[in-house]
Amino acid sequence: MDFSLTPEERQIRDTVRAFIEKEVMPLEPEVLRNEREGRPGLEPDILRDLRAKARKSGFWGINTPEEYGGAALGPIMSAIIAMEIGRTFVPFSFGGSADNILYAGTEEQQQRYLLPTIEGERRSCFAITEPGAGSDARNIRTKAVRDGSEWVISGEKTFITGGNEADFVMVFAVAEEHGVTCFLVDREMGWKSEPIPTMGQWGPASLVFEDVRVPEENILGELGKGFELAMQWIGQGRYMIPARAIGSAERMVQMAIDYAKIRKSMGQTISNYQAIQWMIADSQVEIEAAKWLTLYAAWRVGQGLDARHASSIAKLNGAVMANQVVDRVLQIHGGMGYTKELPIERWYRELRLLRIFEGTDEIQRRTIARNLIKGHARLGLIGE
Ligand SMILES: Cc1cc2nc3c(=O)[nH]c(=O)nc-3n(C[C@H](O)[C@H](O)[C@H](O)COP(=O)(O)OP(=O)(O)OC[C@H]3O[C@@H](n4cnc5c(N)ncnc54)[C@H](O)[C@@H]3O)c2cc1C
């Protein structure tokens, strides 16, 4: 069992770390200022420039196949890079990626949707959740009714990330007797969006479809096979959620250590108190556990093994860990932790989402338990 990174992998990690520290972290005060004044944290132009700069250093399409112009660094490096990006709260990600299910498109769909998304010319969103169907995604009610060579879509989607900015949506609807089907629907075809204010900064949107006409050739994948595509989309990077949180948690614990070393109470720095030390120690233990569970899930994906069980474990553990760590870090900072002068309260609000989206804690537990009870996964196995 080899836990070391190759020299090349280490170099990639160090280059990303340097890029984040030099180019992205300096934007943090601006992001806080903008958000406090009700503006988006990062202007789209600044994000575009940052991505262009990263592209020049070779960071483009981290996990995108080479034939599509990507770096194809694989799941483990993608997770490690996400950990590095997670060290900053600036809403940044490298460009050059597209939703995995767009690769299932026909040649023409790839030209119209996949390639412009990779290039950053078009923005996508993924819409399955509805007001009446979240965890119970099989219960969606959005309808698609055939009319000649078109499908007419009606229904409402909710909590759609990027839904207010997207140029097109991958929307899941029940296509008559065929069942759930995925349609690629341009905004110009007539769907409307409305932002949903949330406690965090990744504001989703509700989408309304009122008799939106979509040509037959805009079905992504096969008629009636949409649910499989949706699960493939959700499964693509479940390990990426805890990966990013690990970077945030490490950065915050470092902030807590630095603060504990200078903050005095009752004649001593608070780092001398066992109560504070234990919070720091417990945080590192949980971060390390999350790191290895996450890398194991990424490794399974890279090996082409079934990674669903490992990804559920990693996602559940990472989401809970991040919320425990941010709470402790806020506690160590006392009243200062609660203010908007420091970014801790921002992380506190943002990380709360991790326990909800892409499968709540309860749904991950349900998946893990059912896999074990039904024998899809077994206890006590190593390396299989
Ligand atoms: C900021 C944000 C961004 C999102 N982005 C997207 C997106 O891009 N695209 C998209 O399609 N969706 C998106 N979602 C939706 C998200 O995936 C759902 O919110 C999530 O799956 C939970 O569904 P729900 O909100 O309807 O909660 P519900 O399913 O109503 O759950 C309510 C509570 O009941 C629990 N529960 C439900 N069923 C069970 C069960 N069987 N056993 C035990 N407990 C259960 C849940 O765990 C939860 O605690 C986003 C949500 C948010 C908040």
Side-chain angles (χ1 to χ4, degrees):
M1 204 175 287
D2 184 356
F3 289 94
S4 59
L5 297 181
T6 63
E8 194 202 358
E9 288 169 337
R10 215 170 303 143
Q11 196 207 335
I12 292 172
R13 183 204 54 198
D14 293 346
T15 312
V16 173
R17 183 169 293 186
F19 181 84
I20 297 293
E21 282 174 3
K22 184 162 166 274
E23 306 288 349
V24 186
M25 283 183 184
L27 298 169
E28 289 180 351
E30 188 180 328
V31 168
L32 287 183
R33 210 170 32 247
N34 282 340
E35 287 176 353
R36 278 167 203 158
E37 288 166 13
R39 292 189 297 273
L42 211 54
E43 293 294 330
D45 288 354
I46 296 182
L47 182 60
R48 212 172 300 125
D49 290 351
L50 270 179
R51 285 182 170 166
K53 213 180 254 182
R55 189 175 194 171
K56 281 196 190 133
S57 322
F59 291 104
W60 183 257
I62 302 294
N63 210 9
T64 300
E66 281 169 356
E67 62 266 37
Y68 292 89
L73 294 179
I76 294 221
M77 274 323 291
S78 298
I80 290 172
I81 289 172
M83 289 176 200
E84 294 302 325
I85 299 176
R87 295 163 64 79
T88 178
F89 56 82
V90 174
F92 170 77
S93 56
F94 291 116
S97 302
D99 312 80
N100 60 345
I101 59 174
L102 289 177
Y103 291 91
T106 60
E107 179 59 36
E108 205 216 324
Q109 288 173 344
Q110 292 201 9
Q111 293 294 333
R112 285 178 51 208
Y113 298 99
L114 173 67
L115 301 185
T117 305
I118 291 175
E119 275 307 310
E121 293 156 3
R122 300 194 79 188
R123 281 167 298 182
S124 61
C125 67
F126 168 91
I128 189 159
T129 305
E130 297 181 1
S135 304
D136 190 8
R138 284 189 187 271
N139 196 31
I140 59 168
R141 293 281 183 261
T142 295
K143 290 190 306 188
V145 177
R146 200 195 288 269
D147 183 16
S149 63
E150 291 181 324
W151 288 85
V152 183
I153 301 183
S154 319
E156 188 180 341
K157 297 290 177 183
T158 191
F159 297 135
I160 307 308
T161 300
N164 208 41
E165 297 80 29
D167 301 296
F168 70 94
V169 55
M170 296 164 279
V171 68
F172 294 82
V174 181
E176 300 174 340
E177 74 277 13
H178 307 284
V180 176
T181 301
C182 180
F183 295 86
L184 294 164
V185 191
D186 300 79
R187 189 178 282 273
E188 299 75 53
M189 291 175 181
W191 53 272
K192 305 266 184 304
S193 66
E194 189 69 42
I196 304 174
T198 66
M199 66 189 267
Q201 303 305 323
W202 304 93
S206 58
L207 312 186
V208 176
F209 294 78
E210 268 176 30
D211 296 333
V212 174
R213 302 186 82 85
V214 182
E216 173 91 24
E217 64 264 24
N218 277 34
I219 290 178
L220 181 64
E222 286 176 51
L223 185 63
K225 293 276 164 61
F227 203 73
E228 287 80 347
L229 274 186
M231 291 305 108
Q232 204 180 318
W233 186 92
I234 290 170
Q236 66 179 323
R238 200 162 251 167
Y239 61 89
M240 294 293 276
I241 295 174
R244 200 164 170 141
I246 286 162
S248 311
E250 285 190 337
R251 172 104 184 269
M252 281 188 285
V253 172
Q254 190 57 54
M255 285 172 64
I257 293 170
D258 295 344
Y259 186 73
K261 279 161 65 176
I262 54 163
R263 176 68 181 169
K264 286 208 171 119
S265 172
M266 302 182 192
Q268 295 188 47
T269 56
I270 59 170
S271 61
N272 284 340
Y273 296 122
Q274 192 184 51
I276 301 293
Q277 291 171 1
W278 283 22
M279 285 198 267
I280 291 169
D282 287 348
S283 296
Q284 198 197 357
V285 170
E286 288 167 22
I287 291 170
E288 288 302 308
K291 195 179 290 175
W292 298 112
L293 288 174
T294 299
L295 290 174
Y296 176 63
W299 175 82
R300 288 194 73 90
V301 174
Q303 298 293 311
L305 298 168
D306 187 338
R308 287 172 294 181
H309 192 68
S311 296
S312 279
I313 293 175
K315 200 264 177 184
L316 170 64
N317 178 267
V320 172
M321 173 282 291
N323 279 274
Q324 286 180 171
V325 168
V326 70
D327 189 67
R328 291 192 195 110
V329 169
L330 196 150
Q331 192 70 13
I332 291 172
H333 281 79
M336 277 308 293
Y338 193 65
T339 68
K340 285 192 182 272
E341 249 178 75
L342 296 178
I344 302 167
E345 63 81 32
R346 185 194 188 283
W347 258 311
Y348 189 94
R349 288 183 284 110
E350 185 167 312
L351 290 169
R352 189 62 184 80
L353 173 64
L354 271 48
R355 296 184 51 208
I356 297 168
F357 78 162
E358 299 204 20
T360 62
D361 286 1
E362 293 73 26
I363 294 304
Q364 304 304 341
R365 287 195 176 94
R366 177 179 182 267
T367 304
I368 295 164
R370 282 161 65 112
N371 285 345
L372 289 171
I373 291 164
K374 292 184 172 177
H376 302 318
R378 282 187 292 153
L379 295 166
L381 297 180
I382 291 178
E384 286 171 53

